[in-house]
């Protein structure tokens, strides 16, 4: 009996230990889950597909109707394609015949970075390439409404030493290396992904491209340093285009491999390592021949475009990503940045169109490409100079004049000094103006002095004297070395009584201005 009690005590002790371990394990799991909420930021929950009302929103009736029309099941697999330049996200869904068909195209509200893959943490680049999205990457409690993690970096990115994390497709229309949609858009996309997982899809493929991989776009960007990478991922693009099946993606020798299969004589599937030598593999002949034919057609069209001199796309600087035109049209001074819309569609035409979702007030549109809008450097056009506003004191660009006979005479007569002159203009002179605006250049003290001295030259016949050219607008210069050059080929202005129209005018009550050769030698410093 004593032994029985001892055995019972021993069993009780073991049971207590097991219970304690179970409680400890449950506590650790709860702590880990709580930590995931605090630390993950944009990716705050990886536990469940649908833990709140946002993540449980049903698929909209319009999409259900589109599925029925295209012979798709609600829970059939999906595939997502992204295009930066077009600022579009496509959702493809498998039909009952086993092939994928386009269900809906969503305009992207904002993407950041430039055309090209993400390379390192903090470069603000949205990734490019092929990625796999499983249920754990769906984030129902995202700080950006809803989101899913792109899975960057994949094995190829890691083999090249590329870094970065938390690259998402999310709502809120705000991007720092992500693809941002409106909240309403991401709710639809999230619901489609959720239903495909409920239907048994283990992961859906995300294909991210700089642009649609057409011969036109390849020709436009033929000088881009990312072209070798783009040609590599175009192979996967072509595989999907010709088969309408999700391409199988592998990596070896730091490159992508699509739809690889084991050789006929192999007993097991090839094992791929992104950093190692490629194993023996084959690609099904039907896919190879279809891709080869498509590539031949694309290459022939590409060669024609290049031979015709298709312009090369500008290398943009100072622009952070882009946004679809439908969103840029709704934002004051909105710009599409690096994105391009459909031909013939302008922001003005889209201003009355309905935006696909709510655009938050904190949206930061990409900067406009001022370099592309600016004209190429050339000789500045010559224009007429208008008179300054009444009673405005304008600093002249003429250097200080040396004290001499004419200077003293001018001061005694009240003509003014060389620093600033008060102008009281009469109505402006009219003249044909070239299509450019210039700042007003007031008459200098030297010109006033010249006009005043002519009063002491009796009997001067000025009927054949032509008015002197107007002064060109001076470019900004350092105060120590002001630029006082005159336009060499300025059209003559009609005579006027205005005091601010340049040297072709007269001081009230003064005699006509003498010919220019009378004072060029004395006042040449004004030029």
């Amino acid at each position: 009996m004593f032994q029985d009690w001892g055995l019972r005590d021993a069993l009780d002790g073991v049971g207590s230990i097991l219970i304690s371990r179970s409680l400890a394990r449950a506590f650790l799991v709860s702590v880990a889950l709580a930590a995931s909420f605090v630390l993950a930021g944009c990716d705050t929950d990886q536990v469940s597909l649908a833990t709140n009302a946002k993540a449980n929103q049903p698929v909209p009736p319009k999409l259900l109707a589109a599925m029925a029309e295209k012979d798709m099941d609600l829970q059939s697999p999906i595939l997502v394609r992204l295009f930066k330049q077009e600022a579009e996200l496509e959702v493809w869904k498998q039909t009952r015949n086993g092939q994928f068909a386009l269900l809906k195209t969503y305009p992207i509200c904002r993407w950041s970075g430039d055309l090209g893959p993400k390379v390192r943490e903090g470069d603000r680049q949205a990734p490019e390439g092929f990625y796999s999205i499983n249920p754990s990457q769906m984030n129902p409690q995202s700080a950006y409404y809803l989101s899913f993690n792109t899975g960057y970096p994949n094995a190829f990115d890691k083999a090249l030493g590329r870094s970065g994390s938390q690259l998402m497709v999310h709502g809120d229309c705000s991007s720092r290396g992500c693809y941002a949609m409106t909240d309403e858009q991401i709710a639809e996309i999230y619901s489609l992904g959720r239903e495909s997982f409920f239907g048994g899809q283990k992961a859906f493929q995300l294909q991210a491209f700089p642009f649609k991989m057409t011969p036109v776009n390849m020709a436009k960007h033929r000088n881009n340093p990312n072209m070798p990478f783009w040609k590599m991922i175009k192979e996967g693009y072509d595989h999907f285009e010709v088969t309408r099946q999700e391409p199988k993606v592998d990596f070896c020798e730091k490159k992508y491999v699509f739809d690889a299969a084991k050789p006929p004589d192999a007993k097991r599937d090839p094992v791929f390592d992104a950093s190692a030598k490629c194993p023996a593999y084959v690609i099904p002949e039907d896919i190879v021949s279809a891709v080869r034919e498509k590539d031949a057609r694309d290459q022939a069209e590409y060669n024609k475009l290049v031979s015709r001199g298709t312009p090369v796309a500008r290398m943009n600087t100072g622009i952070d990503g882009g946004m679809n035109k439908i969103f840029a049209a709704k934002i004051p001074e909105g710009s599409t940045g690096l994105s391009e819309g459909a031909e013939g569609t302008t922001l003005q035409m889209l201003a009355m169109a309905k935006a696909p979702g709510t655009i938050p007030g904190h949206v930061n549109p990409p900067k406009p490409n001022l370099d592309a809008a600016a004209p190429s450097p050339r000789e500045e056009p010559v224009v007429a100079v208008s008179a300054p506003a009444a009673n405005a004191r304008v600093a002249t660009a003429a250097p200080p004049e040396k004290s001499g006979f004419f200077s003293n005479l001018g001061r005694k007569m009240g003509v003014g000094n060389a620093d600033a002159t008060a102008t009281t203009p009469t109505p402006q002179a009219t003249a044909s103006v070239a299509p450019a605006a210039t700042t007003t250049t007031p008459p200098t003290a030297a010109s006033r002095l010249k006009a005043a001295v002519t009063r002491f030259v009796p009997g001067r016949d000025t009927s054949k004297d032509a008015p002197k050219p107007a002064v060109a607008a001076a470019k900004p210069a350092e105060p120590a070395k002001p630029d006082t050059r005159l336009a060499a080929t300025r059209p003559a202005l009609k005579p006027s009584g205005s005091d601010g129209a340049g040297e072709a005018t007269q001081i009230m009550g003064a005699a006509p201005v003498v010919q220019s050769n009378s004072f060029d030698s004395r006042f040449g410093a004004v030029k």
Side-chain angles (χ1 to χ4, degrees), residues 151-165:
Y152 176 91
N154 60 20
F156 169 80
D157 301 318
K158 292 177 182 177
L160 296 180
R162 294 176 176 175
S163 61
S165 60

Side-chain angles (χ1 to χ4, degrees), residues 405-439:
F405 171 76
F406 292 112
S407 299
N408 294 332
L409 178 60
R411 282 195 293 271
K412 290 180 181 180
M413 297 175 60
V415 175
N417 55 43
D419 297 329
T421 59
T423 60
T424 308
T426 54
Q428 291 182 340
T430 59
S432 59
V433 181
T438 60
T439 56

Side-chain angles (χ1 to χ4, degrees), residues 424-497:
T424 308
T426 54
Q428 291 182 340
T430 59
S432 59
V433 181
T438 60
T439 56
T440 301
T441 305
T444 62
S447 64
R448 288 175 171 271
L449 181 59
K450 187 188 301 184
V453 173
T454 59
R455 299 173 60 186
F456 297 96
V457 183
R460 177 63 176 171
D461 182 11
T462 60
S463 59
K464 298 181 180 179
D465 291 345
K468 293 192 67 177
V471 181
K475 296 182 179 180
E478 298 181 2
K481 297 180 179 180
D483 189 359
T484 59
R485 294 174 295 177
L486 302 180
T489 59
R490 184 67 56 90
L493 297 178
K494 297 180 180 179
S496 171

Side-chain angles (χ1 to χ4, degrees), residues 86-145:
E86 291 81 5
E88 291 179 350
L89 181 150
E90 297 176 346
V91 175
W92 293 69
K93 198 165 179 64
Q94 194 176 60
T95 64
R96 291 189 177 97
N97 67 5
Q99 290 187 318
F100 281 83
L102 180 62
L103 174 62
K104 186 172 180 178
T105 299
Y106 296 86
I108 297 176
C109 194
R110 190 73 168 90
W111 60 273
S112 58
D114 199 350
L115 300 181
K118 184 174 183 62
V119 175
R120 62 184 178 278
E121 183 84 41
D123 62 4
R124 295 181 64 87
Q125 283 288 105
E128 294 176 6
F130 288 72
Y131 300 89
S132 182
I133 315 300
N134 61 50
S136 69
Q137 293 166 247
M138 305 291 284
N139 182 8
Q141 298 191 16
S142 171
Y144 300 98
Y145 196 75

